[in-house]
Amino acid sequence: MSASSRPRMSGIGRVLVIVYAVMALAATGRSFVQIVERFYEAPLAYALSALAALVYILATLALVFAGSARWYVVAWVAIVFELVGVLVIGTLSLVLPALFAHPTVWSGFGYGYLFIPLVLPFLGLWWLITHRPGVRVQHAAEVAA
C-alpha cells in the first residue's frame, strides 16, 4: 500500500467503501433471490435490481482503487450512473407504479433501504471531488518540504 493511498482509505473514505460493499451484498442477494424464485413475475424490476447490484459492486471496487486515475474515472462513471438510476427509477416507480409492481433496489428512491441509495451517490461524488488522485500526493509533498 502506497503512502498516497492510505489517506483515501481512512475516515469517511473507509465508511463510504463499507456502505457501498454492504449495498452491493444486499442488492446482489435481493436480485439473486428475485431472479431465481420469480423472475417471470416482474422481469424488468428484477433485472434492474441485478443491474443495481452490479453498479454497487463496481462502485465499491472503483472507490477502493480510486487512487489510480483509471479507477477514479470508473468510480465517477459508476456513481453518476447510480445517481441517474436512482433518480429515474425512483421517479418512474412513483409516476408509473404499474411498471414497478414489484420493488427494485432503486424503487421509491430506495425507500426499502432507508433511502441510502438516494443519499449514497451524493456522498460518493462529494468524496471523489475532494479526493482526486495526485492531489494528496502533491499536498503531502508540500507538507514534507
Side-chain angles (χ1 to χ4, degrees):
M1 180 184 269
S2 68
S4 64
S5 65
R6 283 194 186 118
R8 302 185 66 79
M9 286 295 100
S10 63
I12 191 70
R14 183 173 291 162
V15 171
L16 193 62
V17 168
I18 290 169
V19 173
Y20 264 100
V22 168
M23 286 301 298
L25 289 171
T28 300
R30 177 186 191 141
S31 65
F32 178 78
V33 169
Q34 289 173 327
I35 289 170
V36 168
E37 290 184 353
R38 50 189 196 274
F39 184 72
Y40 62 91
E41 291 179 11
L44 175 63
Y46 299 157
L48 287 172
S49 285
L51 177 64
L54 292 173
V55 170
Y56 286 122
I57 291 167
L58 182 61
T60 302
L61 291 171
L63 286 170
V64 168
F65 300 114
S68 153
R70 287 184 181 158
W71 277 107
Y72 182 79
V73 171
V74 171
W76 265 97
V77 170
I79 293 173
V80 167
F81 184 88
E82 172 197 2
L83 178 60
V84 170
V86 169
L87 294 177
V88 169
I89 302 305
T91 301
L92 287 175
S93 66
L94 296 177
V95 175
L96 301 170
L99 187 60
F100 297 97
H102 293 246
T104 73
V105 174
W106 293 337
S107 295
F109 304 105
Y111 71 90
Y113 291 87
L114 304 173
F115 297 101
I116 292 170
L118 179 62
V119 175
L120 197 56
F122 289 105
L123 294 174
L125 292 174
W126 166 81
W127 189 82
L128 287 172
I129 289 168
T130 59
H131 292 83
R132 290 177 299 191
V135 173
R136 287 261 186 223
V137 174
Q138 179 184 359
H139 178 67
E142 291 172 359
V143 171

